Amino acid sequence: MAKVLIVYGTTEGQTAKIAEHLADAGRRLGHTVDVRHAPDVAADTDPARYDGVLVGASVHEGRYQRAVREFIERHSQALAARPSGFFSVSLAAASRDPAEREAIERIAANFEEGAGWAPQRTASFAGALKYTQYSWLKRALMKYISGKEGGDTDTSRDFEYTDWDAVTRFAEDFFGGLSAA
Ligand SMILES: Cc1cc2nc3c(=O)[nH]c(=O)nc-3n(C[C@H](O)[C@H](O)[C@H](O)COP(=O)(O)O)c2cc1C
């Protein structure tokens, strides 16, 4: 069975939750999975010691977390030498507007290209609106953006749009590919 590393960037926690869901799915398939938050990746966490690597990040103002990009750049050789996958988390992934979804695909493709990485598998997952955790400024901004899109604007609660079945399918595809290799 394979040993897999999952490294993620998160600002409000949803990508961490998705990373743990991917890890659980991999473990259920019999694999060993380590999950690390990108800013905390220790010097002794070497992707070259793993059979596969998944990297995830969330979009804020059109960008992914810098620590994720730094991890990819630092370990570009190890990533190129083994199966790898990228999962992107955003609100636009849940948009009814195809142009919004395409914009996120472009942001993801530019990110991979800019970091000099060509993952075998990529996925775009819808994230969450965590109104109750935001500062008043962030809450007002996200309410405005969501309202403009015809989305949820009740700031007294949080909204989760992640399709957990899609996350499981991505995990099964990635881990299944490792088993076959
Ligand atoms: C300040 C802020 C800016 C955001 N900017 C974008 C954006 O540009 N595009 C988008 O699709 N989603 C955007 N989002 C939505 C996040 O990607 C979404 O909430 C995601 O679940 C965050 O994941 P995290 O909790 O792992 O950080 C933004 C969210 C916040 C709070």
Side-chain angles (χ1 to χ4, degrees):
M1 285 290 130
K3 196 171 168 206
V4 168
L5 174 66
I6 302 180
V7 173
Y8 66 88
T10 192
T11 306
E12 286 97 24
Q14 191 66 12
T15 310
K17 198 169 162 185
I18 292 171
E20 292 297 345
H21 189 96
L22 290 167
D24 286 344
R27 290 179 191 125
R28 273 199 305 277
L29 293 166
H31 301 286
T32 301
V33 188
D34 291 337
V35 183
R36 301 276 184 273
H37 186 206
D40 307 331
V41 170
D44 63 356
T45 304
D46 182 1
R49 281 200 241 117
Y50 291 84
D51 302 308
V53 182
L54 282 173
V55 178
S58 62
V59 181
H60 287 77
E61 285 152 34
R63 289 200 180 85
Y64 296 106
Q65 285 82 11
R66 187 198 308 219
V68 175
R69 179 161 178 152
E70 285 169 357
F71 171 82
I72 295 166
E73 288 175 346
R74 203 162 57 243
H75 297 290
S76 57
Q77 286 189 351
L79 288 173
R82 52 199 26 79
S84 65
F86 178 57
F87 58 99
S88 161
V89 179
S90 66
L91 275 188
S95 174
R96 279 167 296 213
D97 181 353
E100 289 277 326
R101 297 198 303 274
E102 275 162 29
I104 286 295
E105 307 275 328
R106 252 194 329 276
I107 289 172
N110 288 343
F111 175 74
E112 292 166 11
E113 201 183 311
W117 180 36
Q120 281 83 7
R121 286 177 169 80
T122 59
S124 180
F125 299 129
L129 268 177
K130 301 195 174 176
Y131 284 127
T132 65
Q133 296 178 29
Y134 298 152
S135 65
W136 72 266
L137 187 61
K138 239 188 206 186
R139 191 157 47 241
L141 174 72
M142 296 315 290
K143 182 182 176 180
Y144 169 73
I145 291 172
S146 182
K148 208 164 52 126
E149 291 258 317
D152 295 304
T153 53
D154 175 0
T155 57
S156 68
R157 50 161 291 203
D158 297 337
F159 296 89
E160 188 175 73
Y161 307 107
T162 308
D163 176 348
W164 295 107
D165 290 339
V167 178
T168 303
R169 281 196 299 278
F170 179 66
E172 287 173 352
D173 184 38
F174 183 75
F175 286 98
L178 292 177
S179 305

